[in-house]
Amino acid sequence: MPEKIIDINSIRHIFSDGYIGIKDISLSIHKGEFIILAGKNGSGKSTLLRHLNGLLLPDSGTILVNGHDVSKHLVQTRKTIGMVFQDADTQIVGDTVFDEVAFGLENLKIKRDKINEKVTQVLEDLNLSHLRQRNPSTLSGGEKRKLAIAGILVMDPQVIAFDEPFSNLDYPGTLQVLSTIIDLNQSGHTIIIATHDVEPIICEATRIIIMENGQIKKDGTPDTLIMHLESFGVREPCSSKFGLGLVPWPT
Ligand SMILES: Nc1ncnc2c1ncn2[C@@H]1O[C@H](COP(=O)(O)OP(=O)(O)O)[C@@H](O)[C@H]1O
Ligand SMILES: [Mg+2]
């Protein structure tokens, strides 16, 4: 078994209005896994993701990242686990694609030469080099989402968590982001994708975790859980519905 990166032990999260966002979740995530966190709207996916890098802290239970308690090691945790948010497009701060990707490194006061080298490499890895001088606001939806991924990747995370990475993307945009995520997993990153629509990625995943009402209801491989998706309000992929099994998207 590959080494454990994330270890969640009986966490519970109660929002300030008393609503219990996470009831009782325990979960281990290992290096190299490609995990889909599935569930209908309101099932608690985003709430769980936000606990992984300490944006939310549990009211009880613990989360260990590489053996360290997240609540006591926020900086280290956020280096290890990069988070690509659903509304990443609205968080753009740079005037150019290059500056946008450099932003996180500049905050760490890293030397200019090193920043230039790292940003150039990440833009190349994600096929964004030709856009380096473009204003981020002029990018397509898929390019913007890739830019958000570049801003995370440049920080060298071990795990990259995505919250609804395909939302509001057209088909080409979805394929661009999908192939980027697949490449990231193949280059050794552990991937966690929270989504209410598993269709584009189900073939790539090694594991699906189905959530409902702030709890994990199922945890297993895509082929064993696919027929359970709809009972938790998640659409079963068309290919599987029509008896063709799991058919990968063309990336
Ligand atoms: N700040 C908050 N205060 C109270 N309830 C919240 C808050 N944030 C989320 N919730 C509730 O927690 C539940 C889970 O939300 P969320 O994690 O966003 O679900 P998902 O990402 O699966 O759609 C929802 O019922 C939502 O209304
Ligand atoms: Mg959500």
Side-chain angles (χ1 to χ4, degrees):
M1 189 60 131
E3 66 191 90
K4 205 186 270 186
I5 298 189
I6 299 173
D7 202 5
I8 301 177
N9 302 295
S10 293
I11 61 162
R12 185 178 176 86
H13 187 91
I14 307 172
F15 287 111
S16 54
D17 63 358
Y19 185 81
I20 304 178
I22 302 273
K23 295 215 168 98
D24 178 19
I25 287 186
S26 294
L27 177 66
S28 294
I29 294 175
H30 298 84
K31 190 170 176 1
E33 283 195 286
F34 192 129
I35 297 178
I36 300 177
L37 193 57
K40 62 187 174 193
N41 287 339
S43 56
K45 305 178 297 295
S46 299
T47 304
L48 180 58
L49 280 193
R50 284 167 185 270
H51 280 80
L52 296 182
N53 74 349
L55 285 170
L56 291 175
L57 296 174
D59 290 280
S60 60
T62 55
I63 302 168
L64 305 182
V65 170
N66 287 328
H68 301 293
D69 191 322
V70 168
S71 62
K72 301 189 182 96
H73 297 87
L74 280 182
V75 174
Q76 186 54 41
T77 299
R78 287 175 190 166
K79 272 191 183 159
T80 307
I81 303 182
M83 195 82 66
V84 179
F85 294 104
Q86 188 169 0
D87 53 357
D89 311 5
T90 61
Q91 291 164 1
I92 286 169
V93 289
D95 289 335
T96 65
V97 163
F98 190 93
D99 290 347
E100 179 65 26
V101 178
F103 181 73
L105 296 174
E106 281 163 356
N107 281 343
L108 295 178
K109 309 262 183 282
I110 290 172
K111 287 211 175 81
R112 182 40 65 185
D113 294 0
K114 188 78 192 155
I115 293 180
N116 289 345
E117 190 186 311
K118 287 203 76 153
V119 174
T120 301
Q121 183 63 53
V122 164
L123 291 178
E124 201 172 299
D125 291 348
L126 297 191
N127 286 324
L128 290 171
S129 299
H130 60 295
L131 300 172
R132 57 187 284 147
Q133 294 307 332
R134 278 274 287 280
N135 185 310
S137 65
T138 67
L139 300 180
S140 72
E143 288 164 347
K144 273 187 192 155
R145 196 89 24 120
K146 279 173 66 172
L147 174 58
I149 298 172
I152 297 297
L153 189 58
V154 81
M155 309 298 279
D156 277 336
Q158 281 182 284
V159 180
I160 308 181
F162 298 82
D163 201 353
E164 305 282 357
F166 308 114
S167 66
N168 300 318
L169 293 182
D170 60 10
Y171 184 51
T174 301
L175 295 185
Q176 275 185 38
V177 171
L178 176 60
S179 98
T180 303
I181 295 175
I182 294 170
D183 288 347
L184 290 171
N185 184 241
Q186 281 170 356
S187 65
H189 295 89
T190 304
I191 301 292
I192 306 169
I193 297 181
T195 182
H196 67 279
D197 176 17
V198 302
E199 174 116 35
I201 36 158
I202 192 161
C203 278
E204 322 302 334
T206 53
R207 179 175 173 193
I208 297 193
I209 295 168
I210 304 178
M211 287 188 70
E212 189 177 64
N213 292 329
Q215 288 169 303
I216 291 176
K217 297 291 186 170
K218 298 265 178 204
D219 183 347
T221 56
D223 54 329
T224 55
L225 291 189
I226 195 161
M227 67 287 278
H228 295 288
L229 288 168
E230 296 208 346
S231 58
F232 295 98
V234 178
R235 193 171 62 85
E236 182 180 342
C238 287
S239 58
S240 144
K241 260 190 182 168
F242 292 113
L244 300 171
L246 292 174
V247 179
W249 279 33
T251 53

